[in-house]
Amino acid sequence: MDPVPLAGQIASIGMSRAALVVASNRGPLSFSLDERGDPVPSGSSGGLAGALHLVVAGSDAAWVACVMSEADRKAAAAGLMAAEGVQLVTVEPDPDTYRMAYDVVSNATLWYLHHLLFDLSRRPRLDRHWHEAWSAYRTFNALFAQAIDEVAARGATVLVQDYHLSLVPGLLASRRPDLDVVHFTHTPFADPATLRVLPVAARTELLDGLAAARRCGFHTERWAAAFRACCADSGIAPPPTFVSPLAPDAPLLTQRAGAPTVAAARAQLDAVVGGRKLVLRVDRVDPAKNQLRGFWAFDELLEREPSLRGEVVLVALAYPSRQSLPDYQAYAAEIEHTAAVVNERWGDGQWQPVILDVADDPDRSFAALTRYDVLLVNPIRDGLNLVAKEGPLVNQVDGVVALSQEAGSFEELRSAVVALNPYDVSGTAEALAHALAMDGAERARRAAELRRLVTARTPRDWLSDQLDLRG
Amino acid sequence: MDPVPLAGQIASIGMSRAALVVASNRGPLSFSLDERGDPVPSGSSGGLAGALHLVVAGSDAAWVACVMSEADRKAAAAGLMAAEGVQLVTVEPDPDTYRMAYDVVSNATLWYLHHLLFDLSRRPRLDRHWHEAWSAYRTFNALFAQAIDEVAARGATVLVQDYHLSLVPGLLASRRPDLDVVHFTHTPFADPATLRVLPVAARTELLDGLAAARRCGFHTERWAAAFRACCADSGIAPPPTFVSPLAPDAPLLTQRAGAPTVAAARAQLDAVVGGRKLVLRVDRVDPAKNQLRGFWAFDELLEREPSLRGEVVLVALAYPSRQSLPDYQAYAAEIEHTAAVVNERWGDGQWQPVILDVADDPDRSFAALTRYDVLLVNPIRDGLNLVAKEGPLVNQVDGVVALSQEAGSFEELRSAVVALNPYDVSGTAEALAHALAMDGAERARRAAELRRLVTARTPRDWLSDQLDLRG
């Protein structure tokens, strides 16, 4: 491993050498501070960490994750970070290193490239501040590589997760050639023309970093092919790739949807929606999720179909995300503004067409998923989109899924969803009209097919694919 | 040809059936109105129309072009439109059709897609207005197809130019299978992931339209490959493609650069620049040209190299373009603002670091091209970029060309330019520093090599490639 300056600390609880190591930016639990400044577990820990937790809990795996906040730091110090049956190793970069690696490179550069989010005539501005941030990203990855090196037994399998840790396989390759390093990307992967935005040295370092893995995994063949094309465009031999879409844990979801707190949230929702049709969306606030065009499509639907006015509600559950990035703050403001425009245009004293709720409330989300007539999932690009799989599992009224062709899960679900082009506002309005007009028999047929497709795989299958247990 | 409603008129001067027909949005001459409201030829008629004029003047070709403005309309009526030795056929769409076809689809959709200019989380908004505009684009193309049908002799060769006329080959195919239709694209071509932004029906219509040509031409293999990949992504068999970079007319340019009006402009420039080094850029105001990052790179250069302060001037000649598009107005304002920021930061009473001039003054441009020490050409994406070829032909001081890897002309000129990644502000600053520090021998070697590369082809070669005269 090339010497890289390390700006941070590594800590582990009950360290012993592990034959299976998982590495991800976010750990099994995340924390916030209560009013006394003490760390308490916070609501959700994100889809990826949740899925990882499901599959590694109770194994002898070690989990290398990052201390992300003051609350996390206090929780780690108090021994609260470790989850059941997991040996946790925390990586704690200094705050500047973390901000540059996480905000500037991971989220405001790589996430943007993989999701086609840059307004390229203006952004990114790859100036000397950005180049410093790239160095910090390398340092951040080196901290993880060092922690993995310390905890991994000889010949261990290491499952490196996602775009925050693209350089880890490369940083481990020379130091620990005994390790079986697998990298799994949960986002889409940029096409060559888009990845060329990166300075050539950074692009080469990124691809070399990933290509040093024994295998690289993706949620769909499209992203795997894009990765191989990027390697070819840079003259880098790609490693073997594999495709393994993540799946929800059906028994766990069903159980959660039956909780009394969910029933209470459902009663509240029923009181608001009444006998109207419910179009639902559940997403993080993120430009990739395409909330704006969802509202515009709903607006066009109401314009074209007067019979729907007063008879349908769009409930948009949009929970906050990455609020340290100005773009995300701006996008959140645009969401609020656009919802208000639609309500102003069509609403009356009896009917509010769009109900936007920006609270992070999993009970409310579950309740809404049980009740939707149409689930609108229209990202401009999405690695997988787990909500499109979770909805059909818990929905109780044979709700229809209107799904973007640019979501990774579209490949698996295409036979049972109403497809849409996320850029095509008119086409999205048509998809909503079609889904809302569908008769009961067709809804039931599609709902059954969706459940069959979604339950065909489990989180354990996804883990097995990474471990290559299926031959 | 499918029946398409025609909203416009076709007129020709001395119509006779022609064995060679050229079709382009813009005609050989463009006009403005003088103070009495009479049409007078206006300054430049654009690179493409100029090149076409060079190669068809004096032939028996017919040229089908659009009446674009009130001034054009008056000029056409007065018989002023026809250029020497060209049989002009004008297409005059009604103003609404033209606005939707030209502004909304050609310039604000297809140009944006081919140049990666959309801020995709917000734009385009493909709503019912856009779908109406797409119909207008079809109508506009059908007007051209009808005009070509009327003027083309049996078995004639038809050279259809650029993204405004993508549907023309398809619209001619069934009506006139006798014609040898060639389409040439002067822009880059979008990659499949980007072209998927279009509604599937429009995308298919666009690619089918182009694929109906006998052959499709591009300035570089990269754009040809992107077109073929888009066809493959849509399940469409691509037509044969060919690569034929346009070249400047060296004798004509040399002659123009020697004009007395150019000498006068040169004297003015010399008075301003004095003995300082001159970094020059000459572009239309266009987000694809990347003026903003050029200023930021110059700013970073001055920050890193104190010895250059007071010793170098960036002259940015940025002539107005597409001012009917709000995005272009916004970009022009950002250019002015950013230049002012750099001047505010570094300038003093004796030295203004950035001299921004937004007048459309060809004499001034020629004068500056004779004098640059470094020509900065940093588009984020460019079909060819003719300025990168014109500069070395007229420059008198062995000026260095710093050229974007994303310009089509980079393929031809790479051995003699300083390459840059247009997104990499720091890298662009380094390229400028390297170019400015180059010794005289190296400058002379590169300048000679550039002249050799640029004069290796002529506009006639480009025409011959379209006519397939070279076997």
Side-chain angles (χ1 to χ4, degrees):
Chain A
M1 187 161 60
D2 292 337
V4 171
L6 293 178
Q9 303 173 30
I10 295 166
S12 71
I13 297 161
M15 166 94 79
S16 64
R17 292 275 176 166
L20 175 61
V21 180
V22 172
S24 68
N25 176 64
R26 197 182 286 267
L29 300 172
S30 63
F31 292 83
S32 54
L33 296 177
D34 66 13
E35 60 278 7
R36 290 172 311 185
D38 291 334
V40 290
S42 57
S44 54
S45 69
L48 162 58
L52 275 176
H53 195 189
L54 271 175
V55 295
V56 304
S59 73
D60 290 323
W63 188 337
V64 182
C66 184
V67 170
M68 297 175 69
S69 64
E70 178 62 21
D72 279 2
R73 201 162 8 254
K74 287 191 175 179
L80 299 173
M81 263 272 183
E84 200 185 334
V86 173
Q87 178 192 344
L88 191 72
V89 180
T90 55
V91 166
E92 188 177 342
D94 73 56
D96 268 1
T97 298
Y98 187 67
R99 187 191 59 73
M100 289 192 282
Y102 183 69
D103 281 353
V104 179
V105 173
S106 296
N107 286 342
T109 305
L110 300 180
W111 177 271
Y112 269 57
L113 289 175
H114 290 323
H115 289 87
L116 297 178
L117 292 176
F118 277 122
D119 179 7
L120 286 174
S121 63
R122 297 173 173 91
R123 304 274 306 278
R125 193 195 298 191
L126 304 177
D127 57 12
R128 64 183 181 79
H129 302 289
W130 185 89
H131 284 266
E132 285 167 23
W134 182 261
S135 295
Y137 180 74
R138 183 186 302 126
T139 299
F140 178 75
N141 275 257
L143 269 171
F144 269 82
Q146 182 182 328
I148 293 165
D149 182 24
E150 288 176 14
V151 76
R154 176 147 199 87
T157 296
V158 182
L159 306 184
V160 182
Q161 305 297 312
D162 228 358
Y163 61 101
H164 316 85
L165 302 179
S166 310
L167 306 184
V168 166
L171 292 165
L172 283 171
S174 56
R175 181 182 277 201
R176 291 297 301 272
D178 60 297
L179 298 178
D180 180 28
V181 179
V182 179
H183 189 281
F184 197 93
T185 294
H186 291 264
T187 61
F189 204 87
D191 293 272
T194 303
L195 205 68
R196 289 170 75 113
V197 167
L198 286 179
V200 63
R203 186 174 83 214
T204 306
E205 189 175 356
L206 180 80
L207 293 170
D208 276 340
L210 290 166
R214 192 101 13 129
R215 298 184 303 132
C216 284
F218 300 88
H219 284 309
T220 177
E221 171 55 25
R222 197 172 151 202
W223 314 142
F227 168 63
R228 294 191 304 265
C230 286
C231 288
D233 192 50
S234 286
I236 291 168
T241 58
F242 66 99
V243 172
S244 177
L246 186 56
D249 187 275
L252 187 72
L253 276 186
T254 311
Q255 183 195 335
R256 279 218 56 184
T261 48
V262 172
R266 169 70 189 260
Q268 283 190 318
L269 181 73
D270 287 343
V272 172
V273 175
R276 298 187 182 91
K277 300 265 194 183
L278 171 61
V279 177
L280 174 70
R281 67 177 309 142
V282 182
D283 329 77
R284 286 188 304 105
V285 170
D286 192 307
K289 299 297 185 186
N290 205 23
Q291 276 104 339
L292 298 183
R293 287 196 189 81
F295 294 139
W296 290 327
F298 192 64
D299 178 78
E300 192 162 315
L301 175 72
L302 295 175
E303 184 172 39
R304 289 154 43 140
E305 308 269 358
S307 66
L308 288 174
R309 297 175 199 161
E311 302 298 324
V312 61
V313 172
L314 170 60
V315 170
L317 308 181
Y319 50 101
S321 164
R322 301 181 189 171
Q323 292 169 290
S324 59
L325 297 183
D327 272 12
Y328 279 66
Q329 295 171 19
Y331 196 72
E334 289 172 78
I335 286 175
E336 302 238 15
H337 172 75
T338 307
V341 166
V342 177
N343 283 333
E344 177 74 23
R345 183 168 182 203
W346 299 109
D348 57 35
Q350 277 70 54
W351 169 57
Q352 182 181 328
V354 177
I355 297 173
L356 171 64
D357 188 344
V358 297
D360 185 0
D361 180 347
D363 287 333
R364 186 207 53 180
S365 299
F366 270 106
L369 287 174
T370 65
R371 164 69 177 87
Y372 67 79
D373 294 291
V374 180
L375 181 65
L376 175 61
V377 183
N378 70 329
I380 65 173
R381 206 167 153 101
D382 208 330
L384 180 74
N385 198 292
L386 210 50
V387 172
K389 293 184 162 190
E390 291 168 345
L393 278 179
V394 301
N395 185 265
Q396 295 162 353
V397 295
D398 292 340
V400 182
V401 176
L403 181 58
S404 168
Q405 293 162 342
E406 307 302 310
S409 54
F410 183 75
E411 282 310 309
E412 290 171 275
L413 307 181
R414 61 192 311 160
S415 65
V417 299
V418 175
L420 61 86
N421 171 337
Y423 303 100
D424 188 355
V425 170
S426 296
T428 302
E430 276 164 32
L432 291 176
H434 176 53
L436 285 167
M438 207 172 271
D439 67 37
E442 179 66 9
R443 284 168 63 109
R445 189 193 68 74
R446 285 173 182 250
E449 173 71 358
L450 279 171
R451 281 191 296 272
R452 188 185 70 76
L453 292 169
V454 169
T455 53
R457 284 174 57 87
T458 70
R460 292 232 155 250
D461 293 326
W462 175 69
L463 180 67
S464 299
D465 288 339
Q466 284 178 86
L467 298 175
D468 203 14
L469 297 179
R470 336 193 110 214
Chain B
M1 188 159 60
D2 292 339
V4 172
L6 295 177
Q9 303 172 29
I10 295 167
S12 72
I13 296 160
M15 164 95 78
S16 64
R17 293 274 177 166
L20 175 61
V21 180
V22 172
S24 68
N25 176 65
R26 198 182 286 263
L29 301 173
S30 63
F31 292 82
S32 54
L33 296 176
D34 66 14
E35 60 277 7
R36 289 171 311 185
D38 292 333
V40 290
S42 58
S44 55
S45 68
L48 163 58
L52 275 176
H53 194 189
L54 271 175
V55 294
V56 304
S59 73
D60 290 323
W63 188 338
V64 183
C66 184
V67 170
M68 296 175 70
S69 64
E70 178 62 19
D72 279 2
R73 201 162 9 254
K74 287 190 177 182
L80 299 174
M81 264 270 182
E84 200 183 336
V86 173
Q87 178 191 347
L88 191 71
V89 181
T90 56
V91 167
E92 187 178 343
D94 73 55
D96 268 2
T97 298
Y98 188 66
R99 188 190 58 73
M100 290 192 282
Y102 183 68
D103 280 354
V104 178
V105 173
S106 295
N107 286 343
T109 305
L110 299 180
W111 177 271
Y112 270 57
L113 289 174
H114 290 322
H115 290 86
L116 298 178
L117 292 176
F118 277 122
D119 179 7
L120 286 175
S121 63
R122 296 173 175 91
R123 304 274 308 279
R125 192 196 298 191
L126 304 176
D127 57 12
R128 64 183 181 78
H129 302 289
W130 185 89
H131 284 266
E132 286 167 22
W134 181 261
S135 295
Y137 180 74
R138 185 186 301 126
T139 299
F140 178 74
N141 275 257
L143 269 170
F144 269 82
Q146 182 182 326
I148 293 165
D149 182 24
E150 287 177 14
V151 77
R154 177 148 198 87
T157 296
V158 183
L159 306 184
V160 182
Q161 304 297 312
D162 228 0
Y163 61 102
H164 316 85
L165 303 179
S166 310
L167 306 184
V168 167
L171 291 164
L172 284 171
S174 56
R175 181 182 276 200
R176 292 295 302 271
D178 61 297
L179 298 178
D180 180 27
V181 180
V182 179
H183 189 281
F184 197 93
T185 295
H186 291 263
T187 61
F189 205 87
D191 292 272
T194 303
L195 205 68
R196 289 169 75 112
V197 166
L198 286 180
V200 64
R203 187 174 80 215
T204 306
E205 190 176 354
L206 180 81
L207 293 170
D208 275 341
L210 290 167
R214 192 102 11 128
R215 299 186 302 132
C216 283
F218 300 87
H219 284 308
T220 176
E221 172 55 24
R222 195 171 154 204
W223 314 142
F227 168 64
R228 294 191 303 265
C230 286
C231 288
D233 192 49
S234 287
I236 290 168
T241 57
F242 66 100
V243 172
S244 177
L246 186 57
D249 187 275
L252 188 71
L253 277 185
T254 312
Q255 182 195 334
R256 279 219 55 184
T261 48
V262 172
R266 168 70 189 262
Q268 283 191 318
L269 181 73
D270 286 343
V272 173
V273 175
R276 298 187 180 92
K277 299 264 193 185
L278 171 61
V279 178
L280 174 70
R281 67 178 308 143
V282 182
D283 330 76
R284 286 188 305 106
V285 170
D286 192 308
K289 299 298 183 184
N290 205 22
Q291 276 103 340
L292 298 183
R293 287 195 189 81
F295 294 139
W296 291 327
F298 192 64
D299 178 79
E300 192 162 314
L301 176 72
L302 295 175
E303 184 171 39
R304 287 153 45 140
E305 307 271 359
S307 66
L308 288 174
R309 296 175 199 162
E311 303 298 324
V312 61
V313 172
L314 170 60
V315 170
L317 308 181
Y319 49 101
S321 164
R322 300 181 190 170
Q323 293 169 290
S324 59
L325 298 183
D327 272 12
Y328 279 66
Q329 295 171 21
Y331 196 73
E334 289 172 78
I335 285 175
E336 302 238 15
H337 173 74
T338 307
V341 166
V342 177
N343 283 333
E344 176 74 22
R345 183 168 182 203
W346 300 109
D348 56 36
Q350 277 71 53
W351 170 57
Q352 181 180 328
V354 178
I355 297 173
L356 170 65
D357 187 344
V358 297
D360 184 0
D361 180 347
D363 287 332
R364 185 208 52 181
S365 299
F366 271 105
L369 287 174
T370 64
R371 164 71 177 85
Y372 66 80
D373 294 291
V374 180
L375 181 64
L376 175 60
V377 183
N378 70 329
I380 65 172
R381 205 167 155 100
D382 208 330
L384 180 74
N385 198 293
L386 210 50
V387 173
K389 293 184 161 189
E390 292 168 343
L393 278 179
V394 301
N395 185 266
Q396 296 163 353
V397 295
D398 291 339
V400 182
V401 176
L403 181 58
S404 168
Q405 292 162 342
E406 307 302 310
S409 54
F410 182 75
E411 281 310 309
E412 289 171 273
L413 307 181
R414 61 192 311 161
S415 65
V417 298
V418 175
L420 61 87
N421 171 338
Y423 303 100
D424 188 356
V425 170
S426 296
T428 302
E430 277 164 32
L432 290 175
H434 176 54
L436 285 167
M438 206 172 272
D439 67 38
E442 178 67 9
R443 284 168 63 110
R445 190 193 67 74
R446 287 174 181 251
E449 173 71 358
L450 279 171
R451 281 191 296 272
R452 188 186 69 74
L453 292 170
V454 169
T455 53
R457 284 174 59 86
T458 70
R460 293 232 155 248
D461 293 326
W462 175 68
L463 180 67
S464 298
D465 287 340
Q466 285 178 85
L467 298 175
D468 202 14
L469 296 181
R470 335 193 113 210

